[in-house]
Amino acid sequence: MTTDTPDPLHIDTSKAHPARVYDWLLGGKDNYPIDEAVGEKLPPEAHDAARQNREFMHRAAAWLATQGIDQFLDIGTGIPTEPNLHQVVQGILPTAKVVYTDNDPIVLRHAEALLVSHPEGATDYIQADARRPGEIIEHARRMLDFERPIALSLIALMHFIPDDEDAYGIVRSLLAALPSGSHLVLSHAASDLYPELAEQVTAEYAKGGIRLGFRTRPGVARFFDGLELVDPGLVTATEWFKSPPAPPSEGSGIYTAVARVP
């Protein structure tokens, strides 16, 4: 694994970070009191949403690997929680290559120890911000072959990028670099499924200094403009599946979809 990260790494423990709050919601220990303080004020449904996100990623990544996709660019990786994306896909395609990206230095520290590739495949990690897609693509080209299909994974990321930070432009820039046959895998918190919960979550994150931009179904659908949605289309996290057993029939405030680049 290689990195393009300044040394020494600086971790600001005075401000909450989405990756560490997410880790806390999943029951992890790689977070700080400020992250726990945000997580503790979130409604219980936030724990369900974190789990549902993770389960959707597992199902979507596995399905893509069964379709022969062996290159993955995962942006907004978060603190590694097993099984990680590369473990899922390399369990199906041992030669798969995965490039991970996150903007929290603590993720890099764990990535160096935990994101260890299958011997036949490869993993790489870049500390970078999704708001600078050009830097991510430039680094990813060192490992991934942009002449062949790539799966772009944006799991629970884009709702941390409000409209005034050009969320749609960021995704368009990333997709523009991908060849035909690539796929976008995206999950996104909804503002219209459980509006009161969405407002509560947004307010609590804001108190921790984290801006959120939950979106309606049409707003999430915009990320897939010009792409070909695969079955079952744009649905909630617990409704997306491609093979049995089907996920449990529980409610979800997360929109999910996988779509092909034509």
Side-chain angles (χ1 to χ4, degrees), residues 218-235:
V220 176
R222 278 187 60 188
F223 289 112
F224 297 94
D225 284 352
L227 306 183
E228 301 168 352
L229 288 169
V230 303
D231 289 338
L234 178 59
V235 296

Side-chain angles (χ1 to χ4, degrees), residues 91-226:
I92 299 168
L93 296 174
T95 58
K97 297 179 179 180
V98 179
V99 174
Y100 290 106
T101 307
D102 204 282
N103 67 353
D104 185 359
I106 195 174
V107 175
L108 171 61
R109 293 186 176 179
H110 290 280
E112 291 173 333
L114 299 176
L115 299 182
V116 179
S117 173
H118 188 284
E120 297 177 51
T123 61
D124 196 4
Y125 180 85
I126 175 175
Q127 183 187 327
D129 196 299
R131 297 168 184 83
R132 290 161 25 200
E135 292 183 12
I136 296 173
I137 294 297
E138 180 181 0
H139 178 97
R141 288 184 185 278
R142 302 177 192 179
M143 175 175 286
L144 305 181
D145 179 359
F146 278 70
E147 298 299 317
R148 298 195 302 109
I150 295 169
L152 171 63
S153 177
L154 304 176
I155 300 297
L157 172 65
M158 298 312 298
H159 52 246
F160 289 104
I161 303 180
D163 288 345
D164 61 7
E165 294 183 349
D166 196 23
Y168 297 108
I170 289 169
V171 175
R172 284 196 300 270
S173 294
L174 292 167
L175 290 171
L178 304 184
S180 176
S182 296
H183 288 76
L184 171 62
V185 183
L186 182 144
S187 65
H188 194 295
S191 62
D192 53 352
L193 292 175
Y194 302 98
E196 292 183 1
L197 283 175
E199 291 178 6
Q200 181 182 351
V201 170
T202 299
E204 294 301 338
Y205 267 99
K207 293 175 184 177
I210 299 173
R211 298 178 67 208
L212 288 176
F214 286 11
R215 294 179 172 91
T216 62
R217 191 179 190 283
V220 176
R222 278 187 60 188
F223 289 112
F224 297 94
D225 284 352

